[in-house]
Amino acid sequence: MESPDFSPSRRRLLQSGGALAASLACARAFPAWARSGTAGAGTGETLSGDRIGLTIADSHFSTGGRSAHAVTVNGTLPAPLIRLREGRNVRIAVTNRLKEQSSIHWHGLLVPFQMDGVPGVSFPGIDPGETFIYEFPVTHAGTYWYHSHSGMQEAIGLYGPIVIDPAGADPVAYDREHILVLSDWSPIHPHEQLRKLKLMGGYFNYRKQTLAGLLAGRDQSLKERLEWGAMRMDATDISDVTGAAYSFLVNGHGTAENWTGLFAPGERVRLRIINAAAMTNFNFRIPGLAMIVVAADGLEVKPVEIDELQIAIAETYDVIVRPQAADAYGVIAEALDRSGLVRATLAPRLGMAGPVPPLRERPLLTMRDMGMDMSPAGGEHDHAGHGAQASATASQGHSMTMRDPSVAPQVKLGPGVASLSPMPADRLGDRPTGLEQAGHRVLTYADLQSLRPNPDPRPPSRTIDVHLTANMERYMWSIDGETLSDGARPIPFRLNERVRVNLINHTMMPHPIHLHGHFFELVHGAPGHRPRKHTVNVLPGGRVSFDLTADGEGDWAFHCHMLLHMHAGMMRIVTVRRPAGDA
């Protein structure tokens, strides 16, 4: 089936373009849900039923004048939509046509650990030419996605959405739905990106503070710049790989390609938003439309109305919008560091385009992002004040040094740990980086409450700290100062025990931390309806606590979902075992 935006002139071009053009055409034959002008994800082709076949293969992809090798599923990027029904079983045969090993991980789905799809942790991987059969029960509804867990394949195309329809009535009412898969795309292979970042941590950061900016009165004052320089910190070090290297995409389409989802005025439109990017957290908004958040990481939450949210890598949010006018609305996903954005459109008919807003001013990190916020309120974000105050406090005592081992005794100090946050703050109620001063409603984790009562009311029987560590200048990332290749030992849990986990971020980057095989409860507010998630974004210099019921027996990956951070070492194995003597 041809894409509706596949014009005759483009068809003639591809017919005469040789083998490369043919492969490009193959990759641009988007799956039905991702084609521009679709009436909604509930119609058209999907992969469903109890038996599904997927084939992973080499391909090419192009967008915005850039073209490069890609890894696709069934010939498309993004991969096909898999739509299943809660309570059923599914058997998915995945065939690998690559010349290297591959895999698929079902992100957010609770499956037996042997079906989780992480080579070397839960299964051996899928060798070239082989087929692996994933078979598991579908135990819960919601919006999820799937991706490779082998090498860097996820960054070059191997990702797609999963929708699980509830077994009974859907608690969310809507007339139409669209799936929005956000991603980043670069012709620079991720291995080459990593090599460049190893040479210089700020390789892709083209937006550092300048002398001209200082003379013009922009950004930090001279005093602050000197203080940050003395600490070898850069207040613009927001993202590793930026818009200088990436094109940003919605459903495989760039801004010029203007992916368009249709609606009729007055309809309740459900948007299932998935951040499948390799390295980009997005600020998501639809100017002129309020969004009602109804689900986070697949699970329903009590509705909360907002104007903007920041969606970290690997998170999903479902929102309801209700456009009343027959206008075109821009769907805006702006990179966290404001180095680029992508615009898609919601419109009553094809041919309309939502406006493209200018990029907003890029944010600057603050002392709070270094875990050094000493302000009385602890929640202000005036970097000018923080810099002076924290610096003054630092001169008064040992507690504000940047590498005091007493603040994190379990961390193995070495060249891979450049700093330890002296005073990491609970930031669940903070607006995310860059949106602190936005003049409209911005979602925070503290706004989320589970729609259903939390299933396990037991208090935790023990607490563990997990420290996120790095030497950003040398592009070294780790957990507790160790990497898997260092021989880091697994984090052990007893089956069904209740544990509180404190994630402490000692770096100046946010880290979307994902635990396979489990949901966990974010600790804020009274117990009972705390939000349950599988991924949580730990802000720089911040601390996040979650309560976990270790009910998934087996071995599970636990890692930062920024692909290069994980690849460099920010990953551990979690083991869940029966207590000795249990059958």
Side-chain angles (χ1 to χ4, degrees):
M1 180 182 294
E2 293 175 356
S3 169
D5 61 350
F6 218 58
S7 64
S9 59
R10 179 160 175 73
R11 184 203 306 263
R12 285 194 295 273
L13 174 65
L14 290 173
Q15 284 175 338
S16 60
L20 175 60
S23 64
L24 283 169
C26 180
R28 296 300 296 265
F30 296 106
W33 65 272
R35 291 174 194 156
S36 188
T38 58
T43 60
E45 306 158 9
T46 60
L47 301 180
S48 192
D50 58 3
R51 291 176 181 270
I52 289 173
L54 302 176
T55 299
I56 301 168
D58 287 310
S59 189
H60 280 78
F61 183 75
S62 65
T63 185
R66 293 167 161 174
S67 175
H69 168 245
V71 174
T72 56
V73 177
N74 293 5
T76 68
L77 186 166
L81 166 65
I82 296 177
R83 188 154 201 148
L84 304 173
R85 176 73 65 178
E86 182 185 19
R88 306 282 182 83
N89 294 318
V90 67
R91 191 172 189 266
I92 305 176
V94 178
T95 299
N96 178 14
R97 300 294 185 203
L98 303 176
K99 296 178 181 177
E100 62 183 25
Q101 193 181 81
S102 190
S103 59
I104 287 183
H105 162 60
W106 317 102
H107 187 100
L109 295 189
L110 303 182
V111 300
F113 84 92
Q114 302 93 334
M115 299 291 116
D116 193 48
V118 181
V121 177
S122 50
F123 86 136
I126 310 172
D127 286 330
E130 290 191 344
T131 297
F132 183 83
I133 307 295
Y134 293 86
E135 191 164 10
F136 51 84
V138 181
T139 61
H140 53 102
T143 301
Y144 305 96
W145 60 296
Y146 61 103
H147 61 83
S148 171
H149 228 291
S150 298
M152 301 283 198
Q153 295 165 6
E154 178 189 338
I156 52 178
L158 208 168
Y159 53 82
I162 301 173
V163 173
I164 309 295
D165 292 309
D170 195 324
V172 179
Y174 57 94
D175 302 304
R176 186 193 300 257
E177 65 175 329
H178 291 293
I179 297 170
L180 302 176
V181 174
L182 315 180
S183 63
D184 44 25
W185 164 259
S186 176
I188 305 173
H189 194 280
H191 280 298
E192 178 63 11
Q193 294 171 14
L194 182 59
R195 189 188 70 82
K196 292 179 183 297
L197 289 166
K198 283 281 188 183
L199 291 174
M200 185 167 61
Y203 186 92
F204 295 103
N205 182 6
Y206 295 174
R207 310 175 78 204
K208 296 186 177 182
Q209 299 180 100
T210 63
L211 176 60
L214 178 66
L215 296 175
R218 295 194 297 267
D219 302 328
Q220 291 179 312
S221 66
L222 175 62
K223 180 175 181 295
E224 288 176 292
R225 295 188 193 201
L226 292 173
E227 290 169 349
W228 280 65
M231 294 183 289
R232 306 182 75 180
M233 296 294 180
D234 177 3
T236 69
D237 197 2
I238 310 290
S239 297
D240 293 329
V241 189
T242 69
Y246 278 139
S247 298
F248 301 114
L249 307 175
V250 174
N251 296 344
H253 297 68
T255 295
E257 296 149 347
N258 190 35
W259 181 89
T260 301
L262 302 180
F263 69 86
E267 284 185 326
R268 287 172 59 89
V269 181
R270 181 176 191 163
L271 304 178
R272 299 179 183 267
I273 311 162
I274 301 167
N275 188 349
M279 290 295 289
T280 306
N281 295 323
F282 289 104
N283 297 322
F284 183 91
R285 69 191 195 276
I286 307 175
L289 285 181
M291 299 184 289
I292 301 174
V293 180
V294 294
D297 285 1
L299 303 183
E300 291 101 356
V301 297
K302 295 180 180 179
V304 53
E305 186 169 303
I306 59 161
D307 299 303
E308 186 166 14
L309 60 85
Q310 188 171 99
I311 181 168
I313 300 161
E315 288 186 317
T316 74
Y317 284 101
D318 290 21
V319 304
I320 298 291
V321 297
R322 195 166 190 176
Q324 299 295 324
D327 293 334
Y329 296 89
V331 177
I332 310 301
E334 179 187 61
L336 167 66
D337 68 339
R338 312 277 165 78
S339 60
L341 61 77
V342 55
R343 182 281 320 271
T345 295
L346 288 179
R349 62 183 182 278
L350 267 177
M352 302 176 75
V356 182
L359 285 169
R360 295 175 289 186
E361 184 180 358
R362 61 113 163 78
L364 290 177
L365 297 173
T366 70
M367 286 295 171
R368 189 167 175 80
D369 298 309
M370 288 201 290
M372 297 176 67
D373 185 5
M374 295 294 292
S375 65
E380 301 299 324
H381 296 275
D382 173 6
H383 59 77
H386 287 184
Q389 189 169 8
S391 179
T393 308
S395 66
Q396 294 168 5
H398 134 105
S399 64
M400 294 299 284
T401 64
M402 291 301 295
R403 205 163 178 264
D404 178 357
S406 68
V407 304
Q410 76 196 69
V411 171
K412 184 178 180 180
L413 292 179
V417 180
S419 62
L420 296 171
S421 299
M423 297 190 66
D426 182 342
R427 304 193 66 179
L428 283 175
D430 280 17
R431 289 184 171 204
T433 303
L435 297 178
E436 297 91 343
Q437 307 301 330
H440 51 236
R441 297 166 295 181
V442 174
L443 184 72
T444 73
Y445 284 133
D447 295 325
L448 298 174
Q449 284 189 295
S450 174
L451 184 65
R452 306 174 197 275
N454 296 150
D456 189 346
R458 295 177 298 163
S461 60
R462 66 185 178 106
T463 298
I464 65 171
D465 292 340
V466 175
H467 299 270
L468 311 176
T469 46
N471 183 331
M472 294 171 61
E473 203 167 357
R474 298 174 65 174
Y475 212 73
M476 301 169 72
W477 303 92
S478 57
I479 289 178
D480 290 342
E482 295 183 288
T483 68
L484 277 182
S485 58
D486 291 333
R489 301 180 64 181
I491 300 173
F493 294 100
R494 296 186 301 277
L495 183 62
N496 292 322
E497 77 165 328
R498 187 83 164 150
V499 183
R500 175 158 299 176
V501 178
N502 298 319
L503 295 170
I504 303 160
N505 187 353
H506 296 281
T507 82
M508 290 178 61
M509 289 275 176
H511 296 290
I513 299 298
H514 174 50
L515 174 61
H516 290 221
H518 297 80
F519 286 96
F520 47 74
E521 295 169 25
L522 298 183
V523 178
H524 79 80
H529 286 271
R530 288 170 169 165
R532 300 176 68 219
K533 298 186 93 269
H534 53 62
T535 303
V536 62
N537 197 32
V538 188
L539 295 180
R543 183 183 68 249
V544 165
S545 297
F546 65 74
D547 288 348
L548 169 72
T549 299
D551 53 4
E553 189 171 12
D555 296 344
W556 304 99
F558 181 48
H559 61 91
C560 177
H561 224 286
M562 300 188 91
L563 187 63
L564 300 186
H565 293 184
M566 180 184 73
H567 197 78
M570 192 172 273
M571 176 171 174
R572 294 288 285 272
I573 307 301
V574 164
T575 62
V576 179
R577 297 282 188 270
R578 294 172 186 270
D582 286 8

